Amino acid sequence: MNDYYLLGRSGLRVSRLALGTMNFGTGGFHAAYGKSESEAEPIFRRYLDGGGNFIDTADFYTAGESETILGRLIAAAGVRDRVVLTSKFTNTVDPGDPNAAGNGRKHIIRALDASLRRLGTDYLDLYLLHTWDRITPVEEVVRTFDDLVRAGKIRYAGLSDVPAWYAARAQSLAEAHAMTPMISLQLPYSLVNRGIEAEYPAMAQTLGIGLTAWSPIGGGLLTGKYRRTGDALAGQGRLGGVAVTERDWAVIEALEKVAAELGRSMAQVAVNWVATQPAVGSVIIGASSADQLDANLAALDFTIPAELRERLEQAGAPEPGGPYAMFTPQYQSWIVSPGLGIGDKPTGYAPPVWNGAPAA
C-alpha cells in the first residue's frame, strides 16, 4: 500500500485505505468490542508497516480513549509528521452542558482543544464535523474551520454524515469567501448500503470533495461469517439475530460467488468495490487483530473484472426514488436525447496524473 492520492481538491496525499480506530479503548459507547492499548498496538504498527498513513478517530470513540491511546502509539512510533491524523467533533462530551455538543463555534473550539490534549499534538491534519446537528448555521461552522486553519490548529477541514445540500452549501460558502474548503466527506457506503449514490458522488466530484467511506463491509454483514436462519442472521458477531432484507441476501449470495471466482475473501471484494466507486478517495477499515488487518490491506491487490462487478451491482441496485429516476442514462436516452450519444467529455479528455512508479 505505497500508492497515495490527493484527498479532494487539495494537496494532501492519503492512503486509499484509512485505519479506523473506533475500537481503540474499552470505555464508552464502543466498549463492547473495544481493544486495550496492548491489543491495539500491533494493529496500528501493522498499518504503518503496510504503508498506510491515513488514521481516523473521534472524541466520541470509547469516551476519548481512542484518541489517548492513538496519541501514545503515534508518539512511541515517532510518526507524527508521517501520518495524516483525523479527528471529529459533534457528539456530547458532557450531557449536562448544552454547549458541550453540536456544531456551534463554542463546542468546536472546546472539542478541538480537548482532542489535541488527548492526542498529544498541537495540530490535526484533518478535522471533521461528525454529524449534522440540524440547527447550527453552516456559515458558523465554515468560518470556525477557517479560523482554526489560520490559527495553525488544523491543516484541513471536512464533514461527516451530513446531507448533500449541506455539504454543497458549506463548500460554496468557502469558495465564495476564499475560506478553508471542505476536502473530505465521510459517509457509510457498502454493497448493502448504497443510499449515497443518488446525490453524493456527483456533488463531491463537482465541488472537489473526496468521499471517505465507512462501514464498507456493512458492519460485518459482508464478511461471510453469518448465515441465514429464517429472516435473521446466525453467527458469531455483533449482528447475530439482526433482521436482513431479501435484497441484502441477494447481495450476500452474489458477493459470495464473485469472491469464490476471484479466490478472494468476501470482505476483500466488498472493500475493493467501495474503494473503486466514483468519487471515493479512501475507505476506512477497522480490525480486531493484526491478522485481520493484513487481510483487509490486501483488498486492493486485485481488480474486479467488469462482468463480475456488474453482477455485484445488479444484485443490490437501489431503486431511484422521487425525481432521481429522471436522471438515469436509461430515462434520458429515452426522452431527453433519443437516438443520440451525448456525453460531457470524450474518453481520455483528462487522463490521470501519476508521479512515480506506475500505479498497481
Side-chain angles (χ1 to χ4, degrees):
M1 192 170 61
N2 291 313
D3 293 339
Y4 307 89
Y5 293 85
L6 301 182
L7 187 60
R9 191 178 296 143
S10 79
L12 186 63
R13 289 104 161 141
V14 299
S15 310
R16 292 178 71 197
L17 298 178
L19 179 64
T21 62
M22 187 170 66
N23 64 337
F24 282 21
T26 57
F29 185 75
H30 307 95
Y33 48 90
K35 300 296 177 182
S36 66
E37 185 169 342
S38 62
E39 293 172 317
E41 182 175 12
I43 298 172
F44 173 79
R45 291 279 186 171
R46 179 64 192 91
Y47 178 73
L48 295 181
D49 291 343
N53 78 331
F54 195 14
I55 300 176
D56 180 81
T57 186
D59 59 0
F60 184 64
Y61 295 164
T62 56
E65 282 187 41
S66 174
E67 289 183 326
T68 300
I69 290 173
L70 192 53
R72 287 198 290 255
L73 294 177
I74 289 172
V79 293
R80 178 62 193 93
D81 289 336
R82 172 186 165 185
V83 299
V84 175
L85 183 57
T86 303
S87 194
K88 302 182 281 292
F89 65 88
T90 295
N91 298 320
T92 185
V93 295
D94 181 357
D97 182 354
N99 284 305
N103 300 323
R105 183 182 185 90
K106 180 177 175 67
H107 178 59
I108 295 174
I109 295 172
R110 170 181 175 173
L112 175 60
D113 287 343
S115 287
L116 293 177
R117 285 194 298 271
R118 285 189 291 267
L119 287 161
T121 185
D122 56 4
Y123 74 96
L124 287 176
D125 297 289
L126 177 61
Y127 199 38
L128 305 180
L129 177 154
H130 204 156
T131 310
W132 182 43
D133 69 2
R134 304 186 300 158
I135 53 177
T136 303
V138 65
E139 295 87 349
E140 183 173 334
V141 175
V142 174
R143 174 61 70 187
T144 303
F145 273 146
D146 189 63
D147 289 344
L148 292 175
V149 168
R150 292 173 186 274
K153 289 188 171 184
I154 67 174
R155 301 293 187 254
Y156 296 92
L159 306 166
S160 171
D161 302 331
V162 301
W165 68 261
Y166 184 97
R169 174 72 172 160
Q171 193 72 323
S172 298
L173 283 167
E175 290 178 346
H177 299 284
M179 293 189 291
T180 296
M182 309 299 109
I183 69 166
S184 178
L185 172 56
Q186 283 192 13
L187 294 166
Y189 192 25
S190 72
L191 280 163
V192 291
N193 186 356
R194 295 171 58 182
I196 74 167
E197 291 180 359
E199 287 269 8
Y200 291 91
M203 180 275 297
Q205 290 172 321
T206 302
L207 298 180
I209 300 174
L211 299 185
T212 302
W214 59 268
S215 196
I217 56 175
L221 185 61
L222 301 176
T223 61
K225 65 182 179 181
Y226 297 100
R227 287 293 177 262
R228 189 170 191 167
T229 56
D231 293 328
L233 295 174
Q236 295 297 316
R238 291 183 283 145
L239 299 181
V242 171
V244 178
T245 67
E246 285 301 321
R247 175 181 167 276
D248 290 341
W249 284 121
V251 172
I252 293 168
E253 291 167 6
L255 176 60
E256 186 173 24
K257 292 175 182 177
V258 167
E261 291 187 41
L262 292 173
R264 294 284 179 165
S265 72
M266 290 172 63
Q268 287 174 334
V269 175
V271 170
N272 185 297
W273 179 85
V274 173
T276 50
Q277 286 294 96
V280 174
S282 191
V283 177
I284 299 174
I285 57 172
S288 59
S289 68
D291 287 343
Q292 188 182 74
L293 183 64
D294 272 332
N296 289 338
L297 292 177
L300 300 184
D301 292 347
F302 63 97
T303 299
I304 302 174
E307 186 271 330
L308 297 183
R309 191 178 195 91
E310 179 69 12
R311 281 161 52 184
L312 290 174
E313 295 185 355
Q314 287 302 313
E319 286 291 333
Y324 298 106
M326 291 188 285
F327 310 147
T328 63
Q330 295 80 6
Y331 179 92
Q332 298 206 351
S333 65
W334 166 59
I335 199 167
V336 176
S337 303
L340 300 173
I342 298 177
D344 58 346
K345 302 292 186 297
T347 301
Y349 173 82
V353 176
W354 184 254
N355 294 329

